[in-house]
Amino acid sequence: MFQWPKRGDDSQADAPFRDIGDLKGQVAVISGSTSGIGLALARAVASRGGDVVLNGLGDPSEIERNRSEMETSCGVRVRYHAANMLRGDEVADMVAYGKHELGRVDILVNNAGVQHVEAVEKFPSDKWEQIIAINLSSAFYAIRAAIPIMKAQGRGRIVNVASAHGLVASPFKSAYVAAKHGVIGLTKTVALEVAQDGITCNAICPGYVETPIVERQIADQARTRGLSRETVLRDVILAAQPTKRFVTTDELAGMFLYLVSDLGASANGASFSIDGGWTAQ
């Protein structure tokens, strides 16, 4: 059993926690990492010495600016792969690219996601298919490609960015809620399968974070409900969060760094709520 060091014994004072933020020599592949949560997690990895494969949509010049800045400021290797999350073969190729270009895949983050807000009876079929493919199926294809690499290494960390909507529902979000509940189920199943291989698979379930996808949700909710933006923000978006504030990306990064560290080795198949108390209600 771990014994806290005696006062004055500085050599061991931080021993259990010394390496929690050290990711030197590790490689992270992060989908949907050109903005929002994914970009914040990519920066968390790079700032602690890990190499990163970015992925996502956006202005090519802005993506290159972020990639180059991260690489230069952190002294790590940062690559970009333009895999379309609608195509399983491209998702698998993104993972293989990480191994080929950077030599390993230690951390896989499935973060890519899209949203559409509409009543079930009016929900467009193409939007349903798109949301299920990007939010759920892409995670399956990435995990399937990463596990053989991680097994060969004897260690790996898979972190799926789910949502509070992976645990509870809200109206007008049938596809998103279904997909995120699926991500939680996938997380549990994978965790059981790789539990003896030095690999963990966990889900982070954020409440509302101020990101581009949430900004679009505010606009969609205002349109769907016939409300002003301010009313939607107060009475719809943040109504469920007892803190009445957005979750920050730094708060998500803190949990993420724990999960990918050695201290997180026994956290497996779990869903970590970071939602200001939303799902406690």
Side-chain angles (χ1 to χ4, degrees):
M1 184 174 69
F2 171 69
Q3 297 291 322
W4 287 104
K6 296 178 181 178
R7 187 181 299 276
D9 184 4
D10 293 336
S11 64
Q12 295 298 315
D14 64 346
F17 310 105
R18 189 172 294 142
D19 297 328
I20 190 169
D22 184 4
L23 296 177
K24 291 178 182 176
Q26 296 193 39
V27 174
V29 176
I30 307 176
S31 70
S33 51
T34 52
S35 66
I37 293 171
L39 182 57
L41 299 184
R43 285 174 171 155
V45 171
S47 69
R48 286 152 181 84
D51 299 324
V52 182
V53 175
L54 298 172
N55 159 266
L57 303 175
D59 176 46
S61 62
E62 180 69 10
I63 293 172
E64 173 55 25
R65 186 189 68 78
N66 283 327
R67 188 206 65 79
S68 178
E69 183 274 331
M70 204 180 304
E71 193 170 67
T72 301
S73 64
C74 299
V76 299
R77 297 175 294 174
V78 181
R79 302 291 186 265
Y80 172 74
H81 192 286
N84 182 341
M85 294 294 108
L86 290 169
R87 297 185 55 88
D89 57 340
E90 293 189 21
V91 175
D93 187 67
M94 175 185 70
V95 176
Y97 173 83
K99 174 70 165 62
H100 180 265
E101 282 289 305
L102 301 176
R104 306 176 57 84
V105 176
D106 301 276
I107 300 165
L108 172 66
V109 182
N110 292 303
N111 172 70
V114 293
Q115 174 66 283
H116 184 77
V117 178
E118 188 60 88
V120 172
E121 69 271 21
K122 298 178 181 178
F123 210 95
S125 298
D126 61 334
K127 288 295 183 181
W128 173 274
E129 300 294 342
Q130 179 194 50
I131 290 169
I132 296 298
I134 294 174
N135 294 28
L136 175 58
S137 297
S138 70
F140 161 74
Y141 287 114
I143 290 169
R144 187 174 70 169
I147 282 177
I149 299 170
M150 291 178 173
K151 281 185 175 180
Q153 295 169 173
R155 186 186 187 281
R157 296 287 186 266
I158 300 168
V159 178
N160 298 320
V161 179
S163 166
H165 281 124
L167 303 170
V168 297
S170 292
F172 308 114
K173 298 182 179 181
S174 55
Y176 188 83
V177 170
K180 292 302 187 179
H181 272 65
V183 168
I184 300 298
L186 176 63
T187 298
K188 293 177 180 179
T189 301
V190 172
L192 294 175
E193 292 185 12
V194 300
Q196 296 184 42
D197 296 302
I199 304 168
T200 65
C201 183
N202 292 287
I204 295 175
C205 299
Y208 282 106
V209 184
E210 198 166 13
T211 62
I213 192 173
V214 169
E215 283 299 320
R216 289 192 290 272
Q217 284 185 59
I218 294 170
D220 285 347
Q221 288 278 10
R223 171 184 54 80
T224 302
R225 296 171 182 259
L227 301 173
S228 69
R229 184 186 186 281
E230 292 71 23
T231 302
V232 167
L233 190 61
R234 183 187 69 245
D235 297 341
V236 179
I237 298 296
L238 294 179
Q241 292 187 189
T243 54
K244 302 305 178 187
R245 67 170 180 83
F246 285 111
V247 177
T248 72
T249 53
D250 283 349
E251 290 162 350
L252 298 180
M255 175 59 73
F256 166 73
L257 290 172
Y258 161 72
L259 291 175
V260 301
S261 75
D262 287 344
L263 285 178
S266 288
N268 199 25
S271 301
F272 293 87
S273 295
I274 309 175
D275 60 12
W278 179 348
T279 53
Q281 299 175 98

